[in-house]
Amino acid sequence: MKLAIAGTGYVGLVTGTCFAEMGHHVTCVDIDQEKVANLHDGILPIYEPGLRQLVLRNVEDARLAFTTSLAEAMVDAEVIFIAVGTPPGEDGSADLGYVLAVAREIGANMDEYKIVVTKSTVPVGTADKVKAAVSEALASRGDEIPFDVVSNPEFLKEGAAVEDFMKPDRIVVGVESDRAKQSMRELYKDFSRNHDRILFMGVRDAEMTKYASNSMLATKISFMNEVATICDQVGVDVEQVRLGIGSDSRIGYSFIYPGCGYGGSCFPKDVRALIHTARANGVKPTLLHAVHQRNEDQKHVLFQKVVDRFGEDLSGRVFGIWGIAFKPGTDDIREAPAQVLIEALLEAGATVKAYDPEAAESAQREFPAEWFDSGKVTLSRNQYEALEDVDALALVTEWKPFRHPDFNAMKGMMKTPIVFDGRNQYDPVALKEEGFEYCGIGRR
């Protein structure tokens, strides 16, 4: 098939590239000329393992192209994906401005039947608004051209997005017509050859499924973080509790690792958006609000542990930070717990040496310039440079290189061998035998 993808961010670029890898001809569209030029040169706006190689190969094989013209991309395209941003408003609502702008442009340039697919994460009822926007644009031209609007939410984990797209657990497709259903089945058939992974449902059902899925995962994380907080107060090792409850097949081991909070572009935004949807429709979102609040509180847990050890005045103290991205495998620092910790340390008078394998450029771009200009924050070239003459290490993101560091070398670099383990990566007993003070999340 020939496809057009509006948006070359995380979702759009992965979607377009993976479809091209399966033999489809894809044109990705972005209004940012510099970004499009960079993509032609193999410079990607995001870090995602394996993605750059796929982009380069499919561009070379003429299956993947980039342009700033949606009208150009739409020529002969059977399916048009809307994969633009939906930034959250102050009240948690999703801003549909970009989505509807694309819908209007589709209506202004449509010359034959098209399937318009919302791939962006959008609230229930968005497909109706997209349909209205396309219809209004057609009406302003005096045209009546048939089209379908489909909801096809993404379920991609940052750091494993290519694998998730190529080998999905499920493919959720919300449709209203048999014509759209057959086309979407044909498009996705090669992604479910082993067994049928396509779940067809109503459009609004598909929209809700995305929010409910992410909110459920966020709920498991926040629940376990609250349990860890209780464990801290009653002298219980939360790791043993995790193993005990995870062995129950009704619960399972996934998403019950306690830590210093979740971040990124999905869970925080989607939980807030579902809270907004609930309130807008007269439902009191008691559980969802608790999930969100627990996560906001959890991002301050590491700093509180630092204060408990060193006191509230951290003037003259230096802390090493391992991990800036909100999770390993990405350079995304949106709503990352590391930023909350660094900000709190600076306010208490400390300075910070931070290292992340991929997110240094993102931090340099997104963190306040004053942090770097004042010398309060230094981005280290490697994980050990971030430990030179520090009072303690805080592990915030569980990148693989951090799992088995050289503890003997670390002791020689640090003023005091203290580890605040924000992801419970280390065995407290083993670390203490190495001569370190240890403080984890629900572990001591």
Side-chain angles (χ1 to χ4, degrees), residues 114-382:
K114 306 287 185 185
I115 297 174
V116 180
V117 181
T118 54
K119 197 71 173 172
S120 304
T121 300
V122 294
V124 175
T126 297
D128 295 334
K129 295 178 180 179
V130 169
K131 181 184 291 185
V134 175
S135 297
E136 289 171 7
L138 285 170
S140 69
R141 295 165 44 191
D143 289 331
E144 291 186 12
I145 301 173
F147 68 95
D148 275 299
V149 176
V150 170
S151 175
N152 176 215
E154 54 85 14
F155 296 94
L156 307 177
K157 299 186 295 291
E158 291 195 40
V162 171
E163 183 178 2
D164 286 347
F165 198 100
M166 301 301 281
K167 299 178 181 179
D169 293 325
R170 79 287 205 197
I171 301 165
V172 173
V173 184
V175 297
E176 291 183 332
S177 75
D178 287 338
R179 185 176 183 179
K181 182 177 181 178
Q182 293 308 313
S183 292
M184 295 301 290
R185 184 181 293 280
E186 178 67 20
L187 177 61
Y188 275 112
K189 69 178 183 180
D190 292 319
F191 296 91
S192 58
R193 294 181 70 86
N194 181 265
H195 65 274
D196 192 0
R197 296 180 173 89
I198 306 176
L199 301 175
F200 286 105
M201 58 185 70
V203 173
R204 296 170 75 89
D205 302 333
E207 292 171 334
M208 186 63 175
T209 296
K210 168 64 177 181
Y211 278 117
S213 178
N214 278 354
S215 295
M216 181 66 223
L217 297 175
T219 298
K220 293 184 73 174
I221 295 171
S222 282
F223 170 79
M224 204 64 202
N225 282 336
E226 189 148 304
V227 169
T229 302
I230 299 171
C231 288
D232 259 336
Q233 299 304 313
V234 297
V236 171
D237 184 349
V238 74
E239 176 63 9
Q240 300 307 311
V241 176
R242 183 188 71 81
L243 294 172
I245 67 173
S247 61
D248 187 328
S249 60
R250 297 169 301 175
I251 298 172
Y253 293 103
S254 297
F255 288 87
I256 59 168
Y257 290 90
C260 49
Y262 59 76
S265 63
C266 294
F267 287 7
K269 178 169 71 74
D270 293 354
V271 170
R272 288 195 297 265
L274 193 52
I275 289 172
H276 179 269
T277 297
R279 287 173 173 163
N281 289 275
V283 177
K284 186 177 181 181
T286 305
L287 176 59
L288 291 170
H289 179 74
V291 169
H292 168 69
Q293 192 57 54
R294 160 48 59 192
N295 189 60
E296 292 299 295
D297 294 344
Q298 199 69 20
K299 291 181 180 181
H300 296 274
V301 166
L302 268 186
F303 176 70
Q304 187 56 53
K305 290 179 180 294
V306 170
V307 169
D308 290 344
R309 173 60 178 79
F310 291 102
E312 294 184 357
D313 184 2
L314 300 178
S315 299
R317 300 285 185 182
V318 184
F319 293 88
I321 304 291
W322 278 2
I324 301 172
F326 84 92
K327 63 178 288 188
T330 181
D331 61 352
D332 192 344
I333 65 171
R334 284 174 288 185
E335 305 212 31
Q339 184 167 359
V340 176
L341 174 60
I342 292 172
E343 185 172 2
L345 290 171
L346 298 184
E347 288 180 355
T351 57
V352 168
K353 296 180 179 181
Y355 171 73
D356 190 286
E358 294 295 339
E361 288 187 14
S362 298
Q364 190 76 55
R365 184 176 60 250
E366 301 295 335
F367 285 175
E370 188 272 334
W371 288 6
F372 303 110
D373 296 341
S374 65
K376 294 178 180 178
V377 175
T378 302
L379 297 177
S380 301
R381 293 169 296 181
N382 61 67

Side-chain angles (χ1 to χ4, degrees), residues 237 407 421 424-433 438 443:
D237 184 349
F407 289 115
D421 188 354
N424 287 357
Q425 289 294 289
Y426 304 128
D427 180 347
V429 174
L431 212 59
K432 290 173 184 176
E433 289 177 351
Y438 175 87
R443 306 192 80 188

Side-chain angles (χ1 to χ4, degrees), residues 1-3 16-17 19-28 40 53-66:
M1 287 187 182
K2 185 173 181 182
L3 312 174
T17 303
F19 274 134
E21 180 69 8
M22 279 297 191
H24 298 287
H25 289 269
V26 181
T27 302
C28 292
H40 278 298
Q53 295 92 320
L54 292 184
V55 169
L56 291 174
R57 178 164 68 233
N58 284 282
V59 168
E60 183 177 355
D61 293 344
R63 289 190 301 270
L64 180 63
F66 302 97

